[in-house]
Amino acid sequence: MKKKITLLLLMFSMLYVTAQSTPGVYTIKNLDVNTKESDFGTAFLGKDKVIFAAPTTNTMIVKKTWKENGQQFLDMYTGLITSDRQLIEKKRMPGDVNTKYHEAGVAVTKDLKTIYYTANNFYEKKFLTDSSGINNLQMFRASLDVEGKWTEKEKMPFNHVEYSIGHPALNHDDTKLYFVSDMPGGYGGTDIYVVDINEDGSFGPIVNLGPKINTEGREMFPYIGKDNILYFSSDSQDGYGSLDIFASKIFDNTVSMPLNLGEPINSVADDFAYIIDDEKDTGFFSSNRDEGKGDDDIYSFLADPGLQIYCGQSIAVYVRSEASGEAVPGATIELRDESGEVMESVTAGSDGSYTFVETICDTPYVLFATNKGFLNAEQAVRTANDIDQAALVVNLNLPQQFVSNKVNINTIYFDFDKYNIRKDAAKELDKVVQVMNEYPELLIEAGSYTDSRGKDEYNMKLSERRAKSTVDYIVSKGIDASRITYQGYGETHLVNGCSNGVKCSEEEQQLNRRTEFKIANESGFEMVPAPLE
């Protein structure tokens, strides 16, 4: 059966966005380490090892067979990952985590010092059963001691003798623990839940992942990959039959619809326990498909290309005149990435608006608007980390180019005892360049000042250097040097009372370290912009 690429229609309050998500293309390999019995459930132990479950090879302990399948009980083992995606050097995990009953389903913290795992409810040599006589699965936590053994085994506080808890998974910063349970109040047979892990190792309240993930059937074996992608198995989502592996991106307030990973990852048999090294696009999953060596087998895979879950949002931009509040039709609006590269340039409609419909969730952008007769305006924004988010609305107000006899830009400021042009000042100076390009007859005078600290003579020279660096920046942008003059005024025109001997805050002193601009040929200058080329 062939799976088609899923087309997700993402509905926003203002528009619809069609987005394409793809499960990836996979090459799989059955592992040599598999036996005729059940081998499954890998978890990365660093970059070059995994932990997995397999029938015991410990001859020191006599284990009974499990009556459900007549096989030996499972222990946890480690294996070294080879360059051809096999597992070698199979070793039983040392310590007291393995018992004469089942142990499987592991999650490992990033420091490789703590594991969470699933086991029969057997603790301190007590085999506990529920009111029906069933020994449910429970979740345990263990730590690595100085001898390299897994000890300090402890039960999770939310374990319960009447239902199962297991299949742990950790997010990338070990602050959330995902797990599976058939506890009362769920949506079906087994559901996936999450709890916060506090700094002291305690846990927050249990939260069900909700009806997009959980169904009336079984959801099992969660794993959290890069960018908060949840991989899990389900027998009641749209699949091939039995357990299939799905992926869903977890956002701030919701999750995306599960995406079936398709063949050859999934089959008509049970496919589960998927993990991936996102940096290498390789990983492992388990399956009991007919072509395997035994009951459950472990398979490795290479994803090329890998999974893509698209999350798109819209940004609605409205350009207005700052002075009148009226729309500026025909304004140019640019969508830029965080580095300033223009991704899309459009013309605003008759109401001064335009909507960008293919921006990516949880991504920084810069919106930049220009129009004749106005100064440029820009605003940094970030789309929300949510797939069902309504359109982000941004208002860009274009200032008038002139106020009184001055170019209408914000005063630029300098650091104490410095005359270099800061990044915030450069943005304002770019507006001066814009106006001077638009009005070729315009002449400008730049006047620079200092605060009162320091000697008067030194401050006069410092203000002249500030004025010159201001002009040098404008000339570097292509403005003829004959069109702009400069003058340093030292500390002679303070904007507040921070004169010699007066104690002022750094914020108050900053207001005096500035450059201002005025029109030098006001009486003979007519505000007629240059014609469009």
Side-chain angles (χ1 to χ4, degrees):
M1 186 192 313
K2 297 293 183 182
K3 269 291 182 187
K4 294 181 178 179
I5 294 176
T6 302
L7 294 177
L8 299 179
L9 291 178
L10 307 179
M11 180 178 177
F12 300 105
S13 63
M14 298 180 64
L15 69 156
Y16 292 88
V17 179
T18 301
Q20 193 175 68
S21 296
T22 57
V25 178
Y26 300 87
T27 303
I28 69 171
K29 180 184 297 186
N30 190 292
L31 300 189
D32 297 338
V33 74
N34 289 316
T35 69
K36 65 179 181 179
E37 296 189 359
S38 186
D39 308 271
F40 71 93
T42 49
F44 289 115
L45 183 63
K47 289 296 183 182
D48 59 354
K49 289 184 179 181
V50 295
I51 301 173
F52 62 97
T56 183
T57 58
N58 186 0
T59 58
M60 301 299 293
I61 297 178
V62 178
K63 281 199 171 187
K64 298 179 180 179
T65 57
W66 187 34
K67 67 179 181 179
E68 297 292 331
N69 60 10
Q71 298 179 15
Q72 297 181 78
F73 281 90
L74 301 167
D75 277 347
M76 293 184 290
Y77 293 83
T78 61
L80 181 66
I81 305 171
T82 66
S83 59
D84 61 346
R85 307 197 313 275
Q86 290 284 349
L87 294 181
I88 60 173
E89 299 184 14
K90 177 182 175 181
K91 296 179 180 179
R92 189 171 183 267
M93 288 183 66
D96 61 5
V97 291
N98 284 316
T99 68
K100 60 183 179 180
Y101 297 105
H102 280 311
E103 291 83 30
V106 187
V108 186
T109 57
K110 298 302 174 291
D111 63 6
L112 310 183
K113 295 181 179 180
T114 302
I115 60 171
Y116 297 82
Y117 66 98
T118 312
N120 284 114
N121 196 354
F122 179 69
Y123 189 66
E124 295 180 345
K125 298 182 179 182
K126 294 180 181 179
F127 188 81
L128 303 177
T129 60
D130 65 13
S131 54
S132 300
I134 296 174
N135 178 267
N136 287 305
L137 296 176
Q138 304 283 263
M139 190 157 51
F140 296 85
R141 179 165 58 186
S143 301
L144 189 67
D145 65 18
V146 293
E147 297 179 355
K149 295 180 180 181
W150 294 100
T151 59
E152 298 182 24
K153 173 181 172 181
E154 60 175 314
K155 276 189 171 185
M156 293 296 94
F158 38 81
N159 284 348
H160 199 289
V161 70
E162 293 295 327
Y163 49 80
S164 289
I165 297 275
H167 299 177
L170 292 163
N171 67 342
H172 269 245
D173 60 4
D174 296 336
T175 59
K176 293 182 181 293
L177 175 66
Y178 295 80
F179 62 88
V180 174
S181 179
D182 60 353
M183 67 177 63
Y187 291 89
T190 54
D191 283 5
I192 300 175
Y193 295 82
V194 63
V195 295
D196 288 333
I197 304 175
N198 302 318
E199 290 186 5
D200 63 358
S202 62
F203 300 94
I206 296 173
V207 178
N208 188 295
L209 289 195
K212 280 188 180 179
I213 300 298
N214 294 313
T215 67
E216 70 281 358
R218 296 180 300 158
E219 279 68 48
M220 308 173 74
F221 295 98
Y223 176 78
I224 306 296
K226 185 177 69 174
D227 297 330
N228 233 20
I229 301 293
L230 167 70
Y231 298 91
F232 67 101
S233 289
S234 173
D235 62 4
S236 294
Q237 300 277 358
D238 182 22
Y240 294 88
S242 298
L243 289 174
D244 271 14
I245 298 169
F246 295 83
S248 182
K249 184 172 174 62
I250 300 174
F251 298 97
D252 285 345
N253 300 303
T254 187
V255 295
S256 65
M257 292 300 295
L259 177 65
N260 190 299
L261 294 193
E263 295 178 328
I265 294 294
N266 288 318
S267 67
V268 295
D270 284 330
D271 307 291
F272 57 98
Y274 178 103
I275 65 172
I276 185 170
D277 181 338
D278 293 299
E279 295 180 3
K280 299 178 180 178
D281 289 328
T282 60
F284 301 89
F285 71 100
S286 303
S287 178
N288 63 355
R289 59 190 65 187
D290 290 341
E291 57 267 35
K293 295 179 180 178
D295 186 350
D296 297 317
D297 277 4
I298 301 171
Y299 293 78
S300 65
F301 67 81
L302 169 65
D304 185 21
L307 170 82
Q308 293 290 330
I309 293 183
Y310 178 86
C311 175
Q313 289 180 12
S314 61
I315 303 178
V317 185
Y318 294 86
V319 183
R320 299 281 186 267
S321 165
E322 186 177 70
S324 67
E326 295 179 353
V328 181
T332 298
I333 307 173
E334 293 178 350
L335 178 71
R336 301 178 175 182
D337 64 18
E338 195 174 22
S339 67
E341 182 178 351
V342 177
M343 305 177 66
E344 189 174 355
S345 181
V346 299
T347 300
S350 59
D351 62 349
S353 73
Y354 183 83
T355 299
F356 297 94
V357 298
E358 294 186 354
T359 56
I360 302 172
C361 296
D362 196 23
T363 302
Y365 293 98
V366 176
L367 295 163
F368 190 86
T370 61
N371 199 69
K372 287 287 185 181
F374 295 93
L375 292 176
N376 301 339
E378 67 177 90
Q379 183 173 332
V381 298
R382 189 181 189 96
T383 50
N385 185 27
D386 247 319
I387 204 164
D388 295 329
Q389 183 71 23
L392 176 64
V393 178
V394 178
N395 293 305
L396 284 177
N397 297 316
L398 298 182
Q400 294 175 308
Q401 291 180 327
F402 303 99
V403 173
S404 185
N405 70 330
K406 293 183 178 181
V407 178
N408 184 23
I409 73 164
N410 295 318
T411 300
I412 70 169
Y413 296 98
F414 297 85
D415 292 329
F416 176 69
D417 202 26
K418 304 290 185 182
Y419 56 89
N420 59 292
I421 302 300
R422 304 188 319 202
K423 287 184 178 180
D424 59 333
K427 289 184 177 181
E428 295 301 320
L429 296 182
D430 288 340
K431 296 177 184 178
V432 177
V433 174
Q434 173 202 345
V435 174
M436 297 189 76
N437 280 327
E438 192 171 333
Y439 298 90
E441 302 302 320
L442 176 65
L443 303 180
I444 294 291
E445 179 185 300
S448 296
Y449 306 86
T450 70
D451 60 34
S452 62
R453 292 175 292 183
K455 295 182 178 180
D456 293 353
E457 182 180 354
Y458 177 82
N459 283 339
M460 186 62 69
K461 291 180 180 179
L462 177 60
S463 67
E464 290 172 355
R465 288 192 289 269
R466 286 175 176 170
K468 184 178 185 304
S469 66
T470 300
V471 171
D472 287 345
Y473 179 91
I474 294 172
V475 171
S476 74
K477 298 296 183 178
I479 301 299
D480 192 318
S482 64
R483 296 179 56 198
I484 182 165
T485 58
Y486 66 88
Q487 179 68 49
Y489 294 98
E491 57 182 89
T492 59
H493 293 79
L494 302 175
V495 298
N496 50 31
C498 297
S499 57
N500 291 333
V502 177
K503 187 176 181 180
C504 291
S505 67
E506 181 57 33
E507 289 76 16
E508 291 171 318
Q509 297 284 10
Q510 172 74 99
L511 297 176
N512 292 309
R513 303 192 300 267
R514 68 198 190 278
T515 294
E516 297 175 346
F517 298 90
K518 66 180 182 180
I519 301 171
N521 58 334
E522 181 185 5
S523 59
F525 170 63
E526 185 178 359
M527 294 183 183
V528 178
L532 294 173
E533 295 182 357

